[in-house]
Amino acid sequence: MESGLISSLIDHPVSDGVLLLDRGGRCLVANPAARRRGLDRLVERHAASLAGLYARLLDGEPELPCELPDTGMPLRGLLRTVKIDGGAPIAFSLSIRLSEDLDDWLEAAESGGHALWVWDLRHDQMRGSGAWIDWVGTPGRDAPLPFEAIESRIHPDDRVAMRAALHRYLEGEGSQYLCEYRCARADGAWRWVRDSGRVTARDAQGRPSKVAGTLTCIDNQKRLEQTLREQRGLVEDTQRLAGMASWCWDLGTGRVWCAAALRERLGLADGAGIRAWLRRCGRADNHPIVRRAWRDLRDRGSQRHFELLADGVDGPVHLQVWASLQESADGGPARIVAQVQDVTRQRRLDAEIHRRSALLRRVAELGRIGGCEIDAETRTLHWTGECAGLHGREGESLPLQDLLRHYTTESREALEAGMSRVAAGAPPETLELCFYRPDGEQIWTQAVVDFTREGGLPPRYLVLFRDISGERAASERIERLAHFDALTGLPNRARLRQDVDTALAAGGTLYQALLLLDISGFGGINEAHGHAAGDIVLKAVAARLHMLVDAGDLFGRVGADEFVVLLQQGTGRDDVAATAQRIVAGLSDPVPAAGEILRFGVSAGIAVRPPGVGFDELLRAAGVALHGARQQGRNHLEFYSPDAWRRARRRLDIEHALRGALEHEEFSLAYQPLIDLSRHSVCGIEALLRWHHPELGSCAPDEFIEIAEATGDIVAIGEWVVREACRQAAAWKAAGLEFGRMSVNVSAVQLRDPGFAQRVLQACADTGWPAMWLELEITESALLLDTDALWACFDVLQSAGVGLSIDDFGTGFSSLSYLSRFPVGRLKIDRSFIADLASADGTGRAVAVTRAIIQLGKALRMQVLAEGVESSADEELLREYGCDEVQGYLYSRPLPPREMVRWLQDQAQGMAEHRLALA
């Protein structure tokens, strides 16, 4: 190749680097682009790393790609051999692609959200990167565009501002062109961009000829700015509603910025200096406050809270300030920022309250009485300390309705009526009012009620109270001693009889009913807390009756914990029931006493007045109904009915008859056999108590046992049952009858008797019946009496061999802990479960409960007996479930002693015949 041709190629003005290398890798010649980048020196420096490529070219490969390390990214190139007339290689040519750098920089710029552009002012041609063409140019066309074509893509509202910014820059008014505007997207939407650039070339006269710049998408920034504006507006609205304002003092410039509302309130211009603010707060009282706050902020940097009185446009302005110091980057003080709250309205209200309080205190001091003001619109009461103390309360204000709840109905209505009259223009009225303090004390006051209107203030009532309780007490003491209860102040039985009989006689067509109330648990309160606590409860109940009973109804105390109310306001049974329920609910609220809360219930019996009936008859009928209500539990009420009366009469007759039943030998025992399922033989007999009275007839145990327990007669009756059962068992045993153990039912009342166990053992000894063949059946509830006396009783019985069983198991409240701790040897399944055992739904709840009880007994190593077995199907199922013993009409009904002997003899004969047949 000729040297001239090589020189021509090397000197050609191309952007890529071209080098000619000898066979050893030294640079012979390089074009200007390669020399500018120092590629001639770079190739020689890395000749050793390129030696392998040179060798491969000499071996015959025509060309090889290569990379040269550079200060930035590697340079990629291509090595070729240079031959003359097809001979052996004499040199190497190396071409390096340098134009890729520009592409990389363009790619980096566009990846960062920037588009590049160049504007040739002489020819009015604009060119740009691909992103710039997509944003403001014509997509798909990279030819230069005139300025007007670009301007047409800009939002019409932004074009004037863009032209003005560009004009100012080209005229030399700034160091850089910068403008933000919206440009059209391909889909018709608008994109926010920031456009910036500088002059890169000027003509001979120094005028700009070329401008280059960048275009950056700022959509996210604009959205963030909009969000910040909305949030700032929200904060400003919140501050405005709360009377708050932001405040900032730049210590370097002395300028103050704050919310417009605060500036307008103080009459200051926007951007006013700190001196103008200090003049507004220039009152003498503010000087030490401001100086102290400034020292604390400057020296300690701590937040300060203080209050100032400033001069406003409409008068004095009270400002609460929370201020803190912000430091500059070098640690020095930069600015004071604060939150300022306008509390002028609150301070005026405080002053008004203080004025009212001073007025009321002055009134009380002059007249030695309590006074209050009542707002006519809100009905809020503001009173003096004397008035609050008179009512037994604390605090400065409360709703009028809350106070009136403690007034009697008559006084409440009288006060309301008096307030209405004085508000209508009547002169001040004097009333005598009665109310009850929270502690139950009755207070009588003389109240003067007036109505006042003052300019600029809401209309209000002025009420002055004077305590006249002592005066009334002196005049009523004699009357009260004769006709009223000394503790509660309520009418006693004698006075109530007079008042009720008078009301009944004058009742005419009124629907009248007598309500008899009883405090449930009152005896327990006296026992646990003393009679003083009981008195507090009675007083509280009496006070509540005054608030709960309607006007026109009569009420009083007729017994230790019994109260009577004559209801006359209803029109039927439903009205009476609703009123009674309201009274019961109101009376049963707990009562605080001596630091404790006393809880109790209230039961109520109601008797509706028939014609011609007086107080005593109504009270007796209400008492019968009250007894039924007590049986239902606390806070229940019941109406009197003839059936209830008959039940009460029957109960009273039984109670009286029980007292002589033992002496008259009216009790007897019936016996029912107990059958061992595995051997189908008699394993025991249960003794069942029977009572036949000459006048009452036969009384079932369910009817008289409960009454005997309540009266205590069950102790003597139960002792007779044990002794008689043991005597009869010993006689049968002596006659050669085999039947196993004798079972006797005992009551929980008997178990509480300390000498019960010894008397049982004495009965066994006296009758000759072994204690180990005696079994006592107790109820589940008896085990709940977990006392030392009960444990002692069981220890004595267990040591003597007396067995214990749980009767009617499954119908009471049992505890597995009690069953496992007490010496119980047998569970008796109640007959109610056995009755449904073999029915059509025999796989239901009765089966599940029965099987569970049997499994429980087995788990506790107890025998299980089922009562009430009346069919072979019941027997078969119980045998299948693993039950040990049964009892019921399938085998025998309860029999008198003579019939029981014959039954035992028949059983013995049947067993003998069965054994002979087997033999």
Side-chain angles (χ1 to χ4, degrees):
M1 183 179 293
E2 296 181 357
S3 59
L5 178 59
I6 294 175
S7 177
S8 174
L9 291 174
I10 291 299
D11 291 336
H12 195 276
V14 295
S15 59
D16 293 340
V18 181
L19 300 92
L20 187 63
L21 311 176
D22 65 12
R23 291 169 60 95
R26 291 186 299 276
C27 181
L28 300 176
V29 64
N31 71 341
R35 290 195 299 274
R36 283 195 301 271
R37 290 292 299 269
L39 297 183
D40 49 350
R41 295 183 300 276
L42 186 64
V43 168
E44 293 182 356
R45 194 162 53 247
H46 295 284
S49 62
L50 297 173
L53 298 177
Y54 298 151
R56 290 171 58 186
L57 291 173
L58 293 175
D59 288 341
E61 294 191 34
E63 61 183 20
L64 290 172
C66 65
E67 282 188 359
L68 291 177
D70 196 10
T71 55
M73 60 185 66
L75 299 176
R76 293 183 293 274
L78 191 65
L79 275 173
R80 292 188 180 89
T81 58
V82 178
K83 300 179 181 180
I84 299 178
D85 298 330
I90 61 171
F92 305 108
S93 66
L94 175 61
S95 59
I96 302 295
R97 179 70 180 271
L98 299 178
S99 59
E100 289 184 356
D101 292 357
L102 178 59
D103 295 338
D104 293 337
W105 291 118
L106 287 174
E107 181 181 357
E110 294 187 356
S111 298
H114 304 287
L116 309 181
W117 57 267
V118 177
W119 181 22
D120 186 349
L121 277 71
R122 290 179 301 173
H123 301 94
D124 189 21
Q125 292 183 345
M126 296 192 73
R127 295 178 293 107
S129 64
W132 179 84
I133 294 172
D134 292 338
W135 291 357
V136 298
T138 304
R141 179 181 176 186
D142 56 358
L145 296 172
F147 179 83
E148 291 182 358
I150 301 304
E151 189 180 32
S152 65
R153 300 288 300 277
I154 298 174
H155 196 284
D157 295 342
D158 300 335
R159 292 173 188 173
V160 175
M162 188 273 287
R163 276 185 171 275
L166 186 59
H167 177 74
R168 287 194 300 271
Y169 172 69
L170 294 178
E171 291 300 321
E173 294 181 11
S175 61
Q176 182 184 11
Y177 156 68
L178 182 64
C179 183
E180 293 180 359
Y181 53 83
R182 289 161 288 178
C183 61
R185 295 175 180 265
D187 58 1
W190 297 98
R191 173 190 288 111
W192 273 100
V193 296
R194 179 182 293 113
D195 198 5
S196 62
R198 283 192 175 91
V199 174
T200 59
R202 297 179 181 272
D203 59 12
Q205 287 76 29
R207 292 174 300 187
S209 61
K210 182 183 294 186
V211 180
T214 61
L215 201 65
T216 305
C217 180
I218 57 172
D219 275 342
N220 291 336
Q221 178 182 331
K222 288 297 183 180
R223 283 193 290 269
L224 179 59
E225 291 175 357
Q226 179 62 26
T227 301
L228 292 176
R229 282 193 294 271
E230 293 173 355
Q231 292 179 349
R232 180 175 178 178
L234 179 60
V235 171
E236 291 176 352
D237 290 343
T238 303
Q239 290 180 332
R240 176 176 52 79
L241 293 174
M244 302 288 291
S246 298
W247 188 90
C248 179
W249 170 28
D250 191 312
L251 299 179
T253 64
R255 311 301 291 177
V256 174
W257 176 93
C258 79
L262 179 59
R263 286 200 318 272
E264 295 170 1
R265 190 89 166 83
L266 299 178
L268 292 171
D270 188 11
I274 189 62
R275 293 186 179 277
W277 283 86
L278 291 176
R279 282 193 296 272
R280 288 297 183 190
C281 303
R283 295 172 179 257
D285 296 343
N286 293 336
H287 293 168
I289 298 175
V290 173
R291 283 196 295 267
R292 186 166 53 252
W294 167 245
R295 283 196 304 269
D296 289 345
L297 290 171
R298 181 192 59 193
D299 300 338
R300 304 177 186 174
S302 59
Q303 184 177 351
R304 287 286 299 162
H305 172 228
F306 52 94
E307 184 168 334
L308 298 173
L309 182 62
D311 296 324
V313 176
D314 300 323
V317 179
H318 294 265
L319 301 176
Q320 278 198 7
V321 183
W322 292 265
S324 61
L325 176 69
Q326 289 188 350
E327 297 179 347
S328 61
D330 57 3
R335 63 188 64 84
I336 302 293
V337 295
Q339 287 291 322
V340 182
Q341 184 178 19
D342 183 359
V343 293
T344 305
R345 184 172 178 271
Q346 181 63 40
R347 293 297 174 262
R348 290 175 180 172
L349 291 175
D350 293 344
E352 175 62 16
I353 293 174
H354 185 268
R355 185 193 67 78
R356 290 181 178 180
S357 300
L359 172 63
L360 293 177
R361 283 195 299 271
R362 183 62 175 167
V363 170
E365 290 171 359
L366 293 176
R368 290 188 292 181
I369 57 178
C372 70
E373 282 185 340
I374 304 171
D375 190 294
E377 296 179 0
T378 65
R379 293 177 67 84
T380 301
L381 181 147
H382 304 272
W383 52 17
T384 64
E386 290 79 4
C387 187
L390 179 63
H391 286 80
R393 290 176 166 269
E394 297 179 351
E396 297 181 355
S397 64
L398 79 165
L400 176 62
Q401 196 61 33
D402 288 355
L403 180 66
L404 292 181
R405 287 193 297 108
H406 297 273
Y407 277 65
T408 64
T409 304
E410 295 84 353
S411 297
R412 184 165 56 244
E413 292 176 353
L415 180 58
E416 292 278 11
M419 292 171 61
S420 299
R421 287 191 293 270
V422 298
E429 291 199 14
T430 301
L431 307 170
E432 287 190 0
L433 305 176
C434 178
F435 62 88
Y436 286 82
R437 287 177 174 172
D439 59 1
E441 182 180 0
Q442 184 186 45
I443 301 294
W444 278 93
T445 62
Q446 185 182 68
V448 180
V449 184
D450 195 7
F451 188 78
T452 179
R453 293 182 177 88
E454 295 181 6
L457 295 176
R460 59 195 184 278
Y461 299 94
L462 178 63
V463 185
L464 305 180
F465 294 93
R466 185 172 68 87
D467 188 355
I468 60 171
S469 301
E471 300 172 14
R472 289 187 63 95
S475 63
E476 295 175 355
R477 186 171 293 112
I478 297 177
E479 177 72 10
R480 180 171 300 159
L481 291 174
H483 297 96
F484 291 85
D485 176 57
L487 179 65
T488 64
L490 297 180
N492 57 21
R493 183 189 292 266
R495 176 60 182 267
L496 199 59
R497 179 183 289 107
Q498 296 175 12
D499 295 343
V500 170
D501 282 338
T502 301
L504 294 176
T509 59
L510 290 177
Y511 192 89
Q512 296 172 308
L514 192 72
L515 175 65
L516 179 59
L517 302 165
D518 174 74
I519 302 175
S520 303
F522 182 75
I525 292 176
N526 282 335
E527 294 174 5
H529 303 282
H531 288 275
D535 291 345
I536 293 175
V537 171
L538 293 175
K539 289 181 179 180
V541 170
R544 292 171 182 175
L545 281 173
H546 280 281
M547 293 183 286
L548 294 169
V549 175
D550 295 331
D553 291 347
L554 304 175
F555 61 99
R557 182 185 179 198
V558 296
D561 59 345
E562 290 184 341
F563 298 81
V564 164
V565 180
L566 179 64
L567 303 176
Q568 305 184 90
Q569 309 303 317
T571 58
R573 185 186 180 99
D574 292 341
D575 289 343
V576 169
T579 302
Q581 190 62 55
R582 175 174 59 81
I583 293 175
V584 167
L587 294 179
S588 59
D589 288 339
V591 172
E596 297 188 39
I597 301 298
L598 304 181
R599 304 181 185 277
F600 54 88
V602 176
S603 301
I606 307 171
V608 178
R609 176 186 70 90
V613 173
F615 171 78
D616 291 331
E617 291 81 3
L618 273 182
L619 184 61
R620 185 186 64 179
V624 172
L626 177 62
H627 175 75
R630 284 199 197 104
Q631 292 181 332
Q632 299 180 43
R634 293 185 175 185
N635 298 341
H636 281 84
L637 57 88
E638 185 168 323
F639 281 84
Y640 167 79
S641 67
D643 290 339
W645 167 252
R646 284 192 290 271
R647 289 194 300 271
R649 181 73 260 178
R650 170 78 173 177
R651 179 183 177 90
L652 184 62
D653 292 340
I654 290 176
E655 182 176 340
H656 290 163
L658 277 173
R659 295 173 184 171
L662 273 179
E663 290 79 5
H664 299 151
E665 298 182 352
E666 296 170 3
F667 292 109
S668 62
L669 294 181
Y671 300 90
Q672 189 174 29
L674 312 177
I675 306 301
D676 187 325
L677 276 179
S678 61
R679 295 180 298 178
H680 203 73
S681 61
V682 179
C683 60
I685 294 176
E686 181 180 6
L688 302 171
L689 180 62
R690 297 291 183 263
W691 180 32
H692 184 84
H693 188 268
E695 296 178 3
L696 300 178
S698 296
C699 299
D702 292 340
E703 187 177 25
F704 69 84
I705 291 295
E706 179 185 355
I707 300 175
E709 289 178 336
T711 60
D713 293 330
I714 192 65
V715 175
I717 296 173
E719 183 176 353
W720 176 86
V721 171
V722 172
R723 183 172 293 274
E724 177 62 18
C726 292
R727 185 199 63 77
Q728 185 64 73
W732 286 340
K733 187 71 174 178
L737 298 175
E738 297 293 334
F739 55 88
R741 67 184 183 275
M742 175 61 72
S743 295
V744 180
N745 291 278
V746 296
S747 166
V749 177
Q750 295 174 261
L751 295 176
R752 289 198 293 267
D753 187 349
F756 169 73
Q758 294 297 338
R759 288 196 294 272
V760 169
L761 299 183
Q762 188 63 43
C764 292
D766 292 347
T767 59
W769 181 250
M772 60 182 299
W773 289 104
L774 176 64
E775 183 180 75
L776 301 182
E777 297 184 10
I778 61 179
T779 60
E780 295 176 78
S781 58
L783 296 182
L784 299 179
L785 305 172
D786 188 5
T787 62
D788 293 339
L790 184 63
W791 274 103
C793 175
F794 284 168
D795 287 341
V796 172
L797 295 174
Q798 185 182 24
S799 62
V802 177
L804 295 177
S805 67
I806 304 297
D807 195 18
D808 300 332
F809 186 80
T811 61
F813 299 89
S814 296
S815 168
L816 295 181
S817 173
Y818 289 164
L819 290 179
S820 62
R821 290 163 52 201
F822 289 109
V824 176
R826 183 172 285 99
L827 301 179
K828 296 187 69 175
I829 305 174
D830 185 73
R831 66 181 65 251
S832 61
F833 300 112
I834 307 304
D836 298 330
L837 196 61
S839 59
D841 56 347
T843 58
R845 182 169 298 178
V847 172
V849 173
T850 302
R851 299 186 70 171
I853 294 174
I854 294 173
Q855 292 172 7
L856 175 63
K858 298 301 182 182
L860 296 176
R861 298 180 180 179
M862 298 180 182
Q863 294 286 307
V864 181
L865 184 148
E867 298 176 297
V869 178
E870 298 182 2
S871 67
S872 300
D874 292 340
E875 180 188 56
E876 187 60 30
L877 285 174
L878 290 168
R879 182 181 288 109
E880 176 184 346
Y881 298 157
C883 186
D884 300 300
E885 300 171 354
V886 291
Q887 173 185 1
Y889 276 35
L890 177 62
Y891 312 101
S892 172
R893 60 180 177 82
L895 301 174
R898 293 180 181 275
E899 295 183 24
M900 190 70 239
V901 169
R902 287 194 294 271
W903 188 90
L904 289 174
Q905 291 172 345
D906 292 342
Q907 288 294 114
Q909 183 178 356
M911 290 297 296
E913 293 174 356
H914 179 67
R915 283 194 294 269
L916 288 175
L918 292 176

